[in-house]
Each structure stands twice: as structure tokens, then as C-alpha cells.
Amino acid sequence: MNENLPPCPECSGVYTYEMGALLVCPECGHEWPAAGEAPAEGEAGGAQVIKDAVGNVLADGDTVTVVKTLKVKGSPTGIKAGTKVRNIRLVDGVDGHDIDCKVDGFGPMQLKSSVVKKV
């Protein structure tokens, strides 16, 4: 195994484990980025900060909820408000689409940060 992992920030559980780029607490199910805040502070000077619809700062690996129903080209139904999207990636997208993610039932797509809320 790797070095000692930090305890869960939600429940202070000590049994955290790594799952890809995230740390996971098996006791409460909380997921958070393994990198912590250190890279965000180093990149804060040059990188833009991406915020959700209510002003929360987003980071890679966050879980977000869609706040309004979205039409999807080529699909008879859209993405309904309240749909949870896990493990997002922040990208420099086209036309304000700055979140790269996989939506259950629709597959990989890009979303605008203005239509999601951090969970």
C-alpha cells in the first residue's frame, strides 16, 4: 500500500482507500479528490476558477447534480433536473461547456457549470 491516507473529512473514519483519483470512505460513502487542496493553491494564480450555479468552486472528481432539465440532441428524453453526475473533470470546452463527465443513461458528454450544483 501507499503512505498513510488522511481520515474522512465528513465522519473522520480512518479506513479510507484510493479509487482512481478519489479517496473514498467506506463508512459514510464520502468521496473526495486525493490531491487535496495543494494543487489548487499552486494553480490558483494561472488557472481560472470554475463555479457551479450557486457559486461553489468545482474541482476534478466532484459529484454534481443537474439543476434544470436539459435537452439532449438525438434523444427523445433529456437529462432531468436532479440527475446526479459523479467524478467530473474540468476542461477548457467549447461554448462554455467546461465539465467533461459520463451521465448514466446518456454516456459521455460535456456540461456547462451554470446548470449544475455541487453535492
Side-chain angles (χ1 to χ4, degrees), residues 4-79:
N4 291 336
L5 298 174
C8 175
E10 293 289 317
C11 70
S12 300
V14 295
Y15 300 110
T16 58
Y17 62 92
E18 291 182 85
M19 184 172 68
L22 297 175
L23 293 177
V24 180
C25 176
E27 296 175 19
C28 69
H30 180 66
E31 300 175 348
W32 69 99
E37 286 118 20
E41 291 173 2
E43 296 174 0
Q48 68 179 19
V49 175
I50 298 175
K51 296 184 178 184
D52 66 1
V54 294
N56 297 323
V57 177
L58 296 174
D60 286 348
D62 282 346
T63 299
V64 296
T65 303
V66 177
V67 295
K68 69 179 204 174
T69 302
L70 305 172
K71 294 181 182 179
V72 177
K73 192 183 275 187
S75 174
T77 62
I79 300 173

